[in-house]
Amino acid sequence: MQFRIADTFTDSLARLTGDEQKAVKTTAFDLQLNPAHPGMSLHRIEQSRDKNFWSVRAGSDIRLIVHRTQNSLLLCYVDHHDKAYDWAARRKLETHPATGAAQLVEVRETVQQVVVPIYVQTDLPSAHPPGASTKALFANKPDDELLGYGVPAEWLADVKAATEDSLLTLADHLPAEAAEALLELATGGKPRVPVPAVAAANPFDHPDAQRRFRVMANVAELEAALNFPWDKWTVFLHPEQRQWVERDYTGPARVSGSAGTGKTVVALHRAAHLARTHPDARVLLTTFSDTLASALHTQLKKLVSSEPRLAERIDVHSLNAIGLRLYKAQHGAVTLASRAAVRQMLEHASKSVGGHKFGLHFLLAEWEQVVDAWQLASWEDYRDVTRLGRKTRLPEPQRAVLWAIFERVRSALAAQKLITHAAMFTVLADSKHAPFDFAVVDEAQDLSVAHLRFLAALGAHRPDALFFAGDLGQRIFQQPFSWKSLGVDIRGRSRTLRINYRTSHQIRQQADRLLGDQSLDVDGNAEIRNDTVSVFNGPPPVVREAKSESEEIKAIGTWLAEQEKTGVLPQEFGVFVRSPAQLERARAAVDASGMPFKVLDEHAETAIGHVSIATMHLAKGLEFRAVVVMACDDEIIPLQERIETVGDDADLHEVYVTERHLLYVACTRARDQLLVTGVEPVSEFLDDFR
């Protein structure tokens, strides 16, 4: 007997409490071992349109909905008794007549009696609020095309009547492959070419079905599926994403998109695809930080767990780590200059030169972003350099004073036999032998000049050699600079993902208010943000202003406890603050909820049964069902310390941009629930967020 599990089951399982999940998992294991066991308490659901739907008891009020035939058993859904039976009454498992794929379809005739929580002001599809769009999006689409995307025949009329305002609600009622294709069409994209039905083929073997239903060959596979329902996205690509993974590019390519659109998923699959299609090649999967590289490594292991030899040919390291390893292999041991050491050298050199008003913060930024970044070796180089990202105007006499300081720092580094990361990567870029055939880079918006110079040397002029994934709206570490000037030109090979699979419509919409409708890089490449669509709804984010820290802590503790009662597990909570100085407030807030917590370090390793607490800078790469972004007080975000150290009024823009990005990153870690708090007076950013 074939034993399968549907994604609707793992999704519904994740919404139960911890004790309920344990009972369900025990029952699921028993079903797999012996579905005919008399103690299973199987009951046919008479009111269901599909007579193969059965319920299985797991505790006093929890019911598993299974689809049972002589040859197969499919875990479909799990919930409390009434909700589980209601779900089954409105569903049927059928083979789509056009695609041949197995689908769990909501029965159209029952929809008028369905109470669906709609959190956006939209209606199905007959009612239109004042000012709403009434243009039917798919009225001119042939039935055969819509059927080819997996739209059930009984839903064709609704799809053809769908407007911009009703589409998201309608999508909640459709099979996922159909909903995703329609969202892609609505945002101007071209869904993948449908796979036609093959006569006498198993409907579960169709690619659409394989993304929704997984065969569980043994108890170990079932355990993995039930333990990691939130990680199933690493296994299958969404249709919109696959084409960008498998495409051949004539040069460097970039996939961008707002938080939650699946950029990291694309990067992971791109690395696996390159290794799979080039058996003799070495592939580098990398990013700018050790923390994110560790997360990539974990996710890659899940993706290629059945292909161990493939994993052996994919190196997963941060850029700094791989740079250090390569340098030692090619040139011997090296001692890297720490930021503190450079700061000390700058301070000493500044005093030696004298007769100027340049502060240490400005000098350090000028060194890191201009002199060291671009490896300027002479007065002429510094005099003539275009200072991208540095808005302070510097006439030639001032540059001369500055160069006198930087020259002393360069001499001090040489005397102590120290080199900087930028110098290390410059040396590596001059290497005649590329250590990797392909490089796939995640979080590319935070690459440094030195990183990109190294990557350009790896393969800027070879087809398919460089693939980047990133979001300009999440740039929080690096000043903008021209990729083209370093030989990395992505024009014509840049694509923005528009469908958000992680964050609810309401959270994404609110968070996007922190940013503009589009982001431009220095080379003029645009990332459009205003046409992103989320695939599911949720409650609107909550913003609360407290009169004191104690009031804020109490409110957050209460909110966390309330969410836990609804089934959110401790490890599904994330609490973020701007800086380490606010971590104690976060500890107190989670402590007030009664749940244990873990304060994340640079490794960002979450723990089962613990709420995760972290600074916003560590939020990248993380996601949670429910998120609290707290301590959003005035002078905390944007951070007053940064504002006070700005060397020129014009540089304030960059401070405000990156501080907004930080808040955006933190808020978009949330999937379903988001609470944003601060103590009066709160951050000015919250006015834009509401």
Side-chain angles (χ1 to χ4, degrees):
M1 173 179 285
Q2 289 277 4
F3 190 87
R4 295 184 176 89
I5 184 170
D7 61 352
T8 50
F9 185 87
T10 55
D11 284 344
S12 57
L13 174 66
R15 292 192 288 270
L16 300 179
T17 67
D19 289 341
E20 291 168 345
Q21 289 191 27
K22 291 178 183 177
V24 171
K25 291 174 184 179
T26 300
T27 303
F29 294 143
D30 291 342
L31 273 172
Q32 185 180 42
L33 292 171
N34 185 9
H37 193 283
M40 283 288 85
S41 189
L42 277 155
H43 298 280
R44 189 188 298 274
I45 302 175
E46 299 297 338
Q47 64 266 45
S48 173
R49 290 284 298 272
D50 193 320
K51 298 307 178 185
N52 290 318
F53 273 147
W54 295 67
S55 76
V56 183
R57 181 190 297 270
S60 61
D61 191 47
I62 301 298
R63 299 292 184 271
L64 283 72
I65 305 299
V66 302
H67 189 274
R68 183 189 185 194
T69 66
Q70 187 175 357
N71 301 316
S72 70
L73 188 77
L74 172 65
L75 300 181
C76 299
Y77 189 76
V78 62
D79 210 329
H80 292 267
H81 180 283
D82 292 350
K83 292 181 179 179
Y85 272 71
D86 182 59
W87 185 93
R90 298 186 282 109
R91 300 294 188 292
K92 57 185 176 180
L93 181 68
E94 63 180 22
T95 301
H96 193 281
T99 68
Q103 289 183 322
L104 280 169
V105 178
E106 186 170 359
V107 180
R108 179 64 186 90
E109 307 89 276
T110 69
V111 170
Q112 296 304 328
Q113 289 81 51
V114 175
V115 179
V116 179
I118 302 174
Y119 299 101
V120 287
Q121 298 302 308
T122 60
D123 297 291
L124 264 175
S126 57
H128 301 282
S133 174
T134 59
K135 180 182 178 182
L137 297 171
F138 313 114
N140 297 323
K141 295 291 181 183
D143 287 358
D144 289 346
E145 180 180 350
L146 296 174
L147 289 169
Y149 294 136
V151 175
E154 62 196 272
W155 285 92
L156 278 175
D158 298 272
V159 169
K160 288 203 165 188
T163 68
E164 290 182 5
D165 299 291
S166 67
L167 177 58
L168 203 61
T169 302
L170 174 63
D172 287 339
H173 296 278
L174 298 175
E177 60 269 22
E180 291 167 3
L182 295 177
L183 290 166
E184 175 75 348
L185 283 172
T187 54
K190 297 180 179 179
R192 82 312 186 202
V193 177
V195 179
V198 178
N202 187 333
F204 287 102
D205 290 340
H206 190 281
D208 284 346
Q210 289 185 1
R211 296 176 55 224
R212 311 298 173 198
F213 309 101
R214 293 165 60 185
V215 175
M216 299 291 107
N218 50 53
V219 171
E221 287 189 9
L222 178 60
E223 183 177 14
L226 297 180
N227 284 340
F228 302 102
W230 291 96
D231 295 339
K232 65 182 184 293
W233 55 268
T234 61
V235 180
F236 298 111
L237 278 174
H238 297 280
E240 186 203 24
Q241 301 166 343
R242 183 173 295 280
Q243 57 184 314
W244 309 112
V245 168
E246 299 178 352
R247 174 173 293 192
D248 293 327
Y249 300 94
T250 58
R254 182 174 73 185
V255 167
S256 57
S258 58
T261 51
K263 300 178 297 298
T264 297
V265 177
V266 170
L268 288 164
H269 283 270
R270 178 68 176 176
H273 170 74
L274 290 169
R276 196 176 289 119
T277 53
H278 299 84
D280 298 324
R282 299 292 303 188
V283 180
L284 174 64
L285 176 61
T286 188
T287 186
F288 70 92
S289 82
D290 291 334
T291 301
L292 294 174
S294 177
L296 284 175
H297 188 264
T298 300
Q299 293 162 4
L300 183 69
K301 285 197 300 183
K302 295 173 184 174
L303 180 63
V304 298
S305 58
S306 61
E307 303 172 272
R309 293 189 176 181
L310 191 71
E312 292 173 358
R313 292 190 291 106
I314 303 175
D315 285 88
V316 188
H317 301 281
S318 71
L319 278 161
N320 284 347
I322 197 67
L324 187 60
R325 192 179 83 181
L326 291 174
Y327 192 95
K328 286 182 177 179
Q330 297 175 16
H331 304 281
V334 62
T335 304
L336 292 169
S338 67
R339 197 168 192 253
V342 172
R343 178 190 291 270
Q344 190 175 26
M345 293 175 188
L346 280 167
E347 187 174 16
H348 180 75
S350 175
K351 292 177 180 177
S352 298
V353 172
H356 62 84
K357 296 182 179 179
F358 298 114
L360 185 58
H361 179 83
F362 175 85
L363 292 172
L364 185 61
E366 187 77 1
W367 168 266
E368 291 179 338
Q369 297 166 23
V370 181
V371 179
D372 189 47
W374 295 94
Q375 286 293 283
L376 306 179
S378 69
W379 154 242
E380 290 76 18
D381 291 340
Y382 183 62
R383 180 191 63 197
D384 301 332
V385 71
T386 301
R387 302 171 66 254
L388 287 173
R390 300 289 287 158
K391 298 176 178 63
T392 304
R393 296 181 178 179
L394 290 177
E396 187 170 319
Q398 289 185 344
R399 291 200 188 199
V401 174
L402 286 167
W403 183 250
I405 295 172
F406 298 139
E407 210 170 25
R408 284 169 166 76
V409 174
R410 286 173 50 83
S411 298
L413 287 169
Q416 298 180 39
K417 297 182 179 180
L418 300 174
I419 68 169
T420 63
H421 279 95
M424 178 181 72
F425 281 111
T426 300
V427 172
L428 292 174
D430 291 334
S431 175
K432 299 186 184 299
H433 304 288
F436 299 99
D437 300 283
F438 305 99
V440 178
V441 186
D442 194 27
E443 299 289 352
Q445 75 281 345
D446 277 316
L447 291 177
S448 69
V449 172
H451 291 153
L452 195 67
R453 181 185 289 115
F454 166 69
L455 292 167
L458 281 182
H461 305 293
R462 290 189 289 114
D464 290 325
L466 298 180
F467 186 91
F468 301 92
D471 175 16
L472 293 175
Q474 297 185 64
R475 180 180 59 81
I476 59 178
F477 290 105
Q478 295 295 332
Q479 295 281 338
F481 63 92
S482 170
W483 285 25
K484 189 179 174 182
S485 69
L486 291 172
V488 180
D489 190 353
I490 60 170
R491 291 177 300 173
R493 294 180 297 274
S494 179
R495 164 71 174 175
T496 301
L497 302 175
R498 294 184 299 274
I499 299 179
N500 189 307
Y501 300 98
R502 183 182 70 207
T503 303
S504 74
H505 168 78
Q506 290 68 27
I507 294 173
R508 178 197 56 76
Q509 189 178 53
Q510 291 288 95
D512 280 350
R513 293 178 183 177
L514 294 166
L515 311 175
D517 288 342
Q518 73 172 19
S519 301
L520 288 172
D521 65 17
V522 172
D523 297 321
N525 299 297
E527 294 181 3
I528 308 299
R529 316 187 69 86
N530 59 1
D531 60 354
T532 302
V533 177
S534 296
V535 299
F536 64 96
N537 284 317
V542 178
V543 180
R544 292 182 179 173
E545 299 182 18
K547 297 189 181 299
S548 65
E549 290 186 13
S550 60
E551 181 182 313
E552 179 192 41
I553 288 167
K554 183 179 179 181
I556 294 171
T558 301
W559 187 87
L560 291 171
E562 290 173 348
Q563 298 304 315
E564 185 187 25
K565 290 178 182 178
T566 68
V568 183
L569 303 175
Q571 64 267 24
E572 295 174 329
F573 288 104
V575 179
F576 296 106
V577 293
R578 168 61 179 83
S579 306
Q582 294 86 49
L583 285 173
E584 188 56 42
R585 284 168 68 175
R587 292 187 186 97
V590 180
D591 200 45
S593 74
M595 286 184 286
F597 58 83
K598 178 183 179 182
V599 180
L600 305 187
D601 56 18
E602 64 274 9
H603 302 293
E605 295 177 350
T606 61
I608 299 295
H610 291 71
V611 176
S612 295
I613 298 174
T615 63
M616 295 180 184
H617 286 89
L618 293 177
K620 281 193 176 184
L622 301 175
E623 58 184 86
F624 302 91
R625 281 183 68 185
V627 165
V628 178
V629 181
M630 62 176 295
C632 297
D633 309 352
D634 185 39
E635 299 191 357
I636 288 181
I637 185 164
L639 190 62
Q640 188 65 23
E641 294 174 17
R642 289 191 68 195
I643 295 173
E644 291 174 353
T645 56
V646 166
D648 189 280
D649 288 344
D651 290 328
L652 277 174
H653 174 73
E654 180 62 20
V655 171
Y656 274 81
V657 166
T658 52
E659 292 287 304
R660 282 183 179 275
H661 288 182
L662 263 179
L663 184 57
Y664 172 82
V665 167
C667 291
T668 52
R669 301 309 95 189
R671 175 179 171 85
D672 299 317
Q673 303 277 353
L674 174 62
L675 172 65
V676 182
T677 69
V679 174
E680 297 177 345
V682 297
S683 168
E684 60 192 274
F685 294 164
L686 296 193
D687 291 333
D688 298 327
F689 182 79
R690 297 177 219 265

